[in-house]
Amino acid sequence: MIAEDIIIKPVLSEKSTQGVNGKRYAFIVDPRAGKTQIKAAVEQAFGVSVESVNIVNVPGKPKRQGRTSGHTAARKKAYVTLTPSSKAIPFFETLS
């Protein structure tokens, strides 16, 4: 898998933007990817050095529309912390 297959999109929530000052970023990633694959993908895609990766499996929520019920899709979030000597990711720097 290449970096574009592993990293699906960045998470742009209030909680995730608070971590930008500490070089901690959140991404929605492929559910089959492990920590080492996510670390390699972030380093390859953004040219930074990663210190740690934490993963959260987010289950789908039950939803209803009239009589029809179902679930939203489950997803995997990765919180990536960069090393102090690493440069910041420019995309997130424009948000704060």
Side-chain angles (χ1 to χ4, degrees), residues 41-64:
V42 170
E43 288 177 344
Q44 177 188 354
F46 300 108
V48 295
S49 59
V50 175
E51 182 177 331
S52 67
V53 176
N54 295 332
I55 294 176
V56 178
N57 285 309
V58 182
K61 295 181 180 179
K63 294 289 181 181
R64 283 185 56 92

Side-chain angles (χ1 to χ4, degrees), residues 11-73:
V11 176
L12 303 176
S13 65
E14 186 175 354
K15 180 181 176 183
S16 67
T17 54
Q18 289 175 353
V20 171
N21 296 333
K23 293 186 180 177
R24 186 172 170 92
Y25 306 100
F27 298 97
I28 300 290
V29 295
D30 189 292
R32 299 166 294 180
K35 286 185 178 184
T36 54
Q37 291 175 325
I38 294 168
K39 178 179 178 178
V42 170
E43 288 177 344
Q44 177 188 354
F46 300 108
V48 295
S49 59
V50 175
E51 182 177 331
S52 67
V53 176
N54 295 332
I55 294 176
V56 178
N57 285 309
V58 182
K61 295 181 180 179
K63 294 289 181 181
R64 283 185 56 92
Q65 275 194 325
R67 294 183 195 168
T68 308
S69 63
H71 284 85
T72 60

Side-chain angles (χ1 to χ4, degrees), residues 78-95:
Y79 291 96
V80 178
T81 305
L82 304 182
T83 58
S85 61
S86 177
K87 65 175 185 163
I89 297 175
F91 172 77
F92 288 97
E93 292 301 315
T94 60
L95 299 176

